[in-house]
Amino acid sequence: MSMDETLYCPAAPRWLPWAALLLAAAVVALVWWQLGTGWGLAALLLVPGLFVLPVFLPNSGFYAPVLSRWAGAGQRIWLTIDDGPSADTPALLALLGRHQARATFFLVGERAAARPELVRAIVAAGHSIGNHSHSHPQAWWWALGPAALSSQIGQCQQQLAAITGSAPRWYRSVVGHTNPFVAAVLRRHGLRRVGWSARGYDGVAAEVPTVLARITPQLAPGAIVLLHEGGRPGQAEAVLDGVLQAAAQRGLRADIPG
């Protein structure tokens, strides 16, 4: 079995969310008819929430297939680093090189356009890159419509392809959110959505020991680890160093899918 086959994430039928929505509407109507207005209104408020919840669950495949673990990885983990390129990138590349580790950098298109030399350095060092939107509109990503999602993902894809000569194959949702319109865009660009199984919330204010205490228990064969560039000076490098040391102590090697 090839590595690509172990990472295959079968898509749910395209009609499934819409069929589920029609079924939910029918259930609401039935409850209203059988139990009266009070219960009908309660169902009307509850049922839509069942369709909103998957939007905010990073590893939910309800609206688009998602990889949350690296199947068939053996004693390897997949390090994924979001939100670059940034001033942290050179230090992270140097650290990965010292540990003979590889990672996937999920890049923001606008930031890549401002620092194309760092994008090329990532690829030259043997790492892979992924699509993390064009401008990272984190407050509204979950609510974007088809045109806006297509523009955000498409512009990033074009920008990264122009810099490296090859379009990315991996995609990570902004803040992990998704909605009913993203699957079609990913299919059009041949992208696979990547979630995670280990995170330390380093993207929010947190001390390095606290971040590592959250991630380390989740380090296991096939783990997909979520890390971030940015934050306080030196934070991203310290977190990455701690993760690599903890992985080595467990006999795990950081690598990327082929």
Side-chain angles (χ1 to χ4, degrees), residues 67-101:
L67 297 168
S68 58
R69 293 196 67 85
W70 181 1
Q75 289 299 111
R76 292 175 293 177
I77 60 173
W78 186 0
L79 296 180
T80 63
I81 305 173
D82 286 10
D83 297 350
S86 73
D88 290 330
T89 306
L92 298 181
L93 291 176
L95 180 58
L96 289 165
R98 290 195 297 272
H99 283 266
Q100 296 184 317

Side-chain angles (χ1 to χ4, degrees), residues 31-202:
V31 169
W32 204 310
W33 178 46
Q34 293 289 332
L35 301 179
T37 301
W39 285 102
L41 287 173
L44 187 62
L45 294 174
L46 175 62
V47 169
L50 299 178
F51 290 86
V52 172
L53 183 60
V55 170
F56 300 101
L57 297 177
N59 290 325
S60 171
F62 186 74
Y63 289 121
V66 60
L67 297 168
S68 58
R69 293 196 67 85
W70 181 1
Q75 289 299 111
R76 292 175 293 177
I77 60 173
W78 186 0
L79 296 180
T80 63
I81 305 173
D82 286 10
D83 297 350
S86 73
D88 290 330
T89 306
L92 298 181
L93 291 176
L95 180 58
L96 289 165
R98 290 195 297 272
H99 283 266
Q100 296 184 317
R102 296 199 296 169
T104 297
F105 288 73
F106 284 92
L107 306 178
V108 177
E110 286 184 345
R111 298 170 193 172
R115 300 174 186 251
E117 73 286 352
L118 293 182
V119 180
R120 287 189 284 266
I122 291 170
V123 176
H127 308 290
S128 61
I129 60 173
N131 185 318
H132 196 42
S133 84
H134 182 63
S135 64
H136 203 274
Q138 62 185 38
W140 296 106
W141 186 259
W142 65 274
L144 294 183
L149 277 172
S150 181
S151 176
Q152 281 284 337
I153 295 171
Q155 285 187 71
C156 182
Q157 197 77 342
Q158 292 170 10
Q159 185 65 63
L160 296 178
I163 294 171
T164 66
S166 180
R169 55 190 291 214
W170 308 117
Y171 159 82
R172 165 144 309 138
S173 297
V174 177
V175 206
H177 296 166
T178 190
N179 67 31
F181 308 115
V182 73
V185 182
L186 300 186
R187 284 194 297 268
R188 188 157 62 247
H189 291 286
L191 288 164
R192 294 184 182 181
R193 179 174 161 229
V194 180
W196 56 78
S197 62
R199 70 181 301 185
Y201 295 91
D202 56 332

Side-chain angles (χ1 to χ4, degrees), residues 16-26 47-48 51 62:
L16 180 60
W18 307 110
L21 184 60
L22 289 174
L23 178 61
V47 169
F51 290 86
F62 186 74

